[in-house]
């Protein structure tokens, strides 16, 4: 494996994290503006009780690892009571922890333990849809057409002579129609209900005051328990266009992309988030203790995403345009420029993310199929991301260099997107999400590699045998490992005065396949150079090497920057 520069092998004049002087206290204007936030997918992080499923007790036991890694906050994917039709994003009780993960006392203890370690905790909130086992929806079915409870969801009569056709042509993000026909209390075919995702996930109708009241109450419930903020699932989907109009011919694969659609990114969502911001502000407005809202908002443009971040709305939004950009210098520079420019008018930080629980891990997604090259490119992409102004998100396991698991047997897959696609043209396409959700390897040489307490014990998805070499235990202390690379990068990012918060970069002249930019502060400067090309490039050395994602052969006053390599330079 091509290695980054270990401290003992650095060329003369190279700085290490320990010698990179600087403080971030003067440049912080709000903790979320430069935070590195680590996503924990509870099913797959750590299993304390040995049942093969990750749990809150397992997460609590591993919080010191996250503190040592160097992140600022932890985002927890849903752990609420749920039938698990979509891995917890189908919630039946938003105030109760699902028994598979523990109980409410475990959640309170996890938040308290995290705070004691200096980590903030962001919890997922799922306001677009509930589970079909939610008490409101079950009662709506029992009561039949005309029920007051039905106004809290999108129930509609069907089209056709006998109502046998869906109310419109909308399709589910998971494939197939976005409508399912219900049964009347007497067993006859009834009205249709809307679900933009799985049939087990009926969409709330946010025109109902009861829905808005309930979620305002839910926010306060979790804030009172100590949550530092919320990641808002499908934040762009709550409001649907009046009349639920047909959309006509469209590209199914772009439902989570750039299409303008009558059920996503409607202007009415912003009044909801102004109300939510008022609640967050009730819990304090000090920049270092403020509770925040983070939007998962798929919008047609970065400028539309910025609308969610106006001063009286939310604090952050995921930058999906950046996540979806190819590993090429020109499009990367373009999306960085557009992202920073869009955030300036609303005075919000840009966010940067490479992987999460819904996309192919970036080691595999950005790579060319060669395992060694994949890891080189993944590490280079990470070091670029961490050099950019604003906040960064890290998905569990990327710090270990985990690839996507592409060969899971069909019998063990649980993603509803996969189940709905089986036997169709969509089968095998990106969006089949189990491969990025395989449980983490922590230690040992046999499965479940410390994920559970007993060697040979179960894990809800099988782990590849080669992951023994990628475990936390195997990588800790190995200066060439991806884990130690992440630890050094995050430490430098925290220490160097030119990294972290900000809203601009200064681009430097560079060859066509290279990105080069400078970041400045009153206390220091940093240059980042990135070779996205296939061949090494000779460049003038802009300063002293702080950290490189791969080997960096010095050539006098120049450097031969290898392919798929990023370098931080102190100037």
């Amino acid at each position: 494996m091509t290695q980054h520069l270990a401290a003992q092998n650095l060329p003369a004049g190279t700085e290490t994290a320990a010698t990179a002087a600087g403080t971030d206290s003067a440049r912080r204007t709000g903790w979320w503006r430069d935070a590195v936030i680590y996503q924990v997918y509870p099913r797959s992080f750590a299993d304390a009780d040995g049942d093969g499923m990750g749990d809150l007790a397992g997460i609590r036991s591993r919080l010191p690892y996250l503190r040592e890694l160097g992140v600022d906050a932890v985002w927890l994917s849903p752990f609420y009571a749920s039938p698990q039709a979509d891995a917890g994003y189908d919630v039946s009780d938003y105030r109760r922890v699902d028994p598979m993960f523990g109980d409410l006392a475990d959640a309170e203890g996890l938040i308290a333990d995290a705070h004691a370690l200096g980590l903030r905790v962001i919890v997922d909130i799922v306001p677009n849809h509930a589970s079909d086992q939610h008490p409101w929806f079950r009662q709506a079915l029992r009561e039949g057409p005309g029920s007051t409870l039905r106004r809290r969801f999108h129930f509609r009569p069907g089209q056709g002579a006998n109502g046998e056709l869906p109310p419109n042509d909308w399709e589910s993000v998971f494939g197939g129609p976005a409508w399912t026909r219900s049964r009347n209390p007497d067993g006859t075919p009834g009205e249709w209900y809307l679900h933009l995702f799985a049939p087990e996930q009926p969409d709330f109708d946010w025109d109902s005051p009861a829905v808005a009241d309930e979620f305002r109450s839910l926010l306060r419930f979790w804030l009172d328990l100590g949550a530092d903020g919320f990641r808002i699932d499908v934040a762009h989907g709550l409001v649907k266009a009046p009349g639920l109009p047909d959309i006509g011919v469209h590209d199914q694969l772009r439902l989570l992309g750039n299409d303008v659609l009558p059920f996503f990114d409607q202007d009415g969502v912003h009044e909801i988030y102004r109300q939510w911001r008022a609640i967050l502000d009730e819990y304090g407005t000090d920049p270092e203790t403020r509770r925040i809202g983070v939007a998962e908002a798929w919008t047609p443009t970065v400028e539309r995403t910025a609308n969610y971040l106006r001063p009286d709305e939310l604090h952050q939004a995921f930058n999906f345009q950046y996540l979806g950009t190819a590993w090429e210098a020109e499009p990367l520079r373009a999306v960085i420029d557009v992202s920073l420019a869009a955030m300036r008018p609303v005075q919000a930080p840009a966010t940067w993310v490479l992987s999460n629980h819904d996309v192919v891990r970036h080691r595999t997604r950005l790579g060319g199929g060669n395992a060694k090259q994949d890891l080189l490119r993944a590490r280079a992409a990470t070091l670029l991301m961490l050099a950019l102004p604003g906040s960064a998100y890290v998905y569990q396991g990327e710090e270990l260099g985990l690839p996507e698991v592409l060969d899971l047997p069909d019998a063990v897959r649980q993603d509803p997107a996969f189940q709905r696609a089986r036997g169709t043209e969509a089968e095998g396409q990106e969006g089949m999400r189990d491969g990025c959700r395989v449980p983490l390897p922590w230690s040992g040489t046999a499965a479940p590699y410390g994920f559970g307490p007993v060697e040979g014990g179960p894990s809800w998805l099988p782990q590849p045998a080669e992951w023994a070499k990628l475990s936390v235990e195997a990588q800790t202390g190995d200066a060439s490992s991806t884990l130690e690379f992440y630890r050094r990068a995050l430490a430098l990012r925290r220490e160097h005065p030119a990294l972290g918060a900000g809203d601009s970069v200064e681009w430097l002249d560079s060859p066509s396949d290279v990105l080069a930019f400078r970041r400045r502060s009153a206390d220091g400067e940093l240059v980042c150079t990135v070779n996205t090309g296939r061949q090494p490039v000779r460049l003038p050395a802009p300063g002293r090497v702080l950290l490189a994602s791969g080997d960096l052969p010095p050539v006098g006053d120049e450097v031969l920057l290898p392919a798929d390599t990023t370098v931080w330079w102190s100037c």
Side-chain angles (χ1 to χ4, degrees):
M1 181 181 75
T2 300
Q3 300 177 358
H4 63 288
L5 295 169
Q8 62 269 30
N9 297 320
L10 293 175
T14 300
E15 292 184 352
T16 67
T19 61
T23 174
D24 63 356
S25 60
R27 61 192 171 90
R28 291 177 67 96
T29 57
W31 69 266
W32 67 94
R33 292 187 175 274
D34 62 358
V36 176
I37 300 172
Y38 185 100
Q39 181 189 357
V40 166
Y41 192 68
R43 283 173 162 241
S44 302
F45 191 67
D47 170 22
D49 61 12
D51 65 354
M53 187 69 65
D55 44 46
L56 298 186
I59 298 169
R60 289 181 71 178
S61 72
R62 300 294 187 176
L63 288 174
Y65 164 79
L66 298 179
R67 178 68 275 173
E68 182 183 358
L69 182 62
V71 301
D72 300 292
V74 180
W75 153 34
L76 301 173
S77 292
F79 51 82
Y80 311 110
S82 167
Q84 304 295 320
D86 184 23
Y89 282 94
D90 51 316
V91 182
S92 58
D93 188 340
Y94 291 83
R95 294 178 178 82
R96 187 166 65 90
V97 173
D98 195 282
M100 71 191 301
F101 298 126
D103 57 28
L104 201 58
D106 290 314
E108 291 183 271
L110 190 160
I111 293 171
D113 287 357
H115 288 170
L117 290 167
L119 295 168
R120 293 175 172 87
V121 178
I122 295 170
V123 298
D124 231 306
I125 194 78
V126 188
N128 180 71
H129 48 262
S131 165
D132 62 353
Q133 299 304 304
H134 191 285
W136 286 2
F137 190 76
R138 296 179 68 182
Q139 185 175 344
L141 292 178
R142 288 194 301 268
E143 293 181 355
S147 162
T148 300
L149 269 294
R150 292 204 171 197
R151 299 175 192 168
R152 302 178 186 183
F153 303 92
H154 292 277
F155 280 92
R156 297 290 188 276
Q159 300 185 81
N162 299 301
E164 70 277 10
L165 301 175
N168 66 22
D169 64 356
W170 294 3
E171 292 186 26
S172 162
V173 172
F174 290 160
W179 296 90
T180 290
R181 196 171 192 184
S182 66
R183 289 278 175 181
N184 290 321
D186 64 3
T188 58
E191 295 178 317
W192 297 72
Y193 68 88
L194 176 68
H195 52 86
L196 292 180
F197 294 87
E200 296 88 353
Q201 295 170 288
D203 278 42
F204 285 115
D205 187 341
W206 275 82
D207 286 338
S208 166
V211 173
D213 289 346
E214 170 69 355
F215 275 91
R216 286 193 292 266
S217 174
L218 287 169
L219 295 183
R220 290 190 172 95
F221 178 84
W222 287 101
L223 292 168
D224 288 343
L225 287 178
D228 297 287
F230 301 93
R231 178 267 190 184
I232 304 161
D233 186 62
V234 195
H236 57 302
L238 277 55
V239 173
K240 279 68 173 176
L244 309 185
D246 285 347
I247 60 176
V249 177
H250 69 286
D251 182 354
Q252 169 70 28
L253 294 179
R254 294 182 67 194
L255 286 178
L256 289 181
N258 298 326
D259 280 357
V260 177
L261 298 165
F263 44 77
F264 283 157
D265 193 34
Q266 298 293 301
D267 288 340
V269 299
H270 298 292
E271 177 55 31
I272 296 170
Y273 297 130
R274 282 189 282 271
Q275 295 177 17
W276 286 24
R277 176 59 177 266
I279 292 172
L280 293 169
D281 286 352
E282 289 175 10
Y283 288 78
T285 56
D286 184 301
E288 292 310 310
T289 57
R290 185 187 285 273
R291 318 292 182 93
I292 70 166
V294 181
E296 184 211 25
W298 293 85
T299 67
T301 65
V302 178
E303 291 81 5
R304 291 288 298 183
T305 301
N307 289 339
Y308 292 75
L309 307 176
R310 289 174 285 204
D312 60 347
E313 294 190 44
L314 303 173
H315 300 81
Q316 287 187 348
F318 292 114
N319 190 342
F320 292 117
Q321 283 81 3
Y322 181 77
L323 184 150
T325 301
W327 182 245
E328 299 173 14
E330 184 175 349
L332 282 168
R333 177 169 175 166
V335 76
I336 291 167
D337 279 342
V338 168
S339 300
L340 293 172
M343 296 301 113
R344 287 189 203 109
V346 295
Q347 300 177 15
T351 65
W352 314 99
V353 61
L354 292 169
S355 290
N356 65 34
H357 66 292
D358 281 334
V359 300
V360 173
R361 285 187 176 275
H362 71 270
R363 173 176 175 177
T364 300
R365 190 180 74 252
L366 298 179
N370 178 288
K372 179 180 177 181
Q373 196 72 18
D374 288 354
L375 186 55
L376 282 174
R377 190 169 290 182
R379 288 163 57 135
T382 294
L383 207 56
L384 166 61
M385 176 184 76
L386 293 176
L388 295 171
S391 178
Y393 281 78
V394 173
Y395 178 52
Q396 65 175 44
E398 71 173 75
E399 78 277 13
L400 303 177
L402 297 185
E404 185 83 358
V405 180
L406 300 173
D407 58 354
L408 288 170
D410 289 358
V412 305
R413 291 183 178 269
Q414 299 189 28
D415 182 3
F418 174 79
Q419 301 302 331
R420 298 195 84 185
R422 294 185 73 172
T424 72
E425 292 182 1
E427 186 173 352
Q429 294 175 344
E430 275 193 17
M432 309 304 143
R433 302 166 297 172
D434 290 312
C436 64
R437 300 176 176 184
V438 174
L440 297 192
W442 290 93
S443 60
T445 58
Y449 308 114
F451 168 66
V454 179
E455 184 175 305
S459 63
W460 72 280
L461 287 173
Q463 302 151 300
E466 57 269 25
W467 279 20
K469 298 178 181 178
L470 298 178
S471 73
V472 173
E473 180 182 64
Q475 296 195 46
T476 295
D478 177 358
S480 69
S481 72
T482 301
L483 175 58
E484 295 296 350
F485 166 70
Y486 265 75
R487 286 172 172 163
R488 274 197 293 278
L490 292 173
L492 272 171
R493 189 180 187 274
R494 182 184 295 272
E495 295 166 3
H496 198 286
L499 290 172
D503 65 1
S504 63
V505 299
E506 176 189 343
W507 293 106
L508 306 175
D509 289 340
S510 61
S512 59
D513 287 333
V514 173
L515 292 173
F517 60 87
R518 186 188 310 275
R519 296 201 56 197
R520 301 176 185 266
S521 78
D523 300 314
E525 296 183 7
L526 178 137
V527 168
C528 179
T529 56
V530 187
N531 184 0
T532 67
R534 300 293 184 92
Q535 301 297 326
V537 177
R538 192 180 298 271
L539 299 171
R544 298 181 302 276
V545 175
L546 281 174
L547 185 62
S549 65
D551 277 337
L552 189 65
V555 186
D557 292 334
E558 295 185 324
V559 62
L560 192 63
L561 184 62
D564 297 322
T565 301
T566 299
V567 184
W568 288 355
W569 309 83
S570 182
C571 305

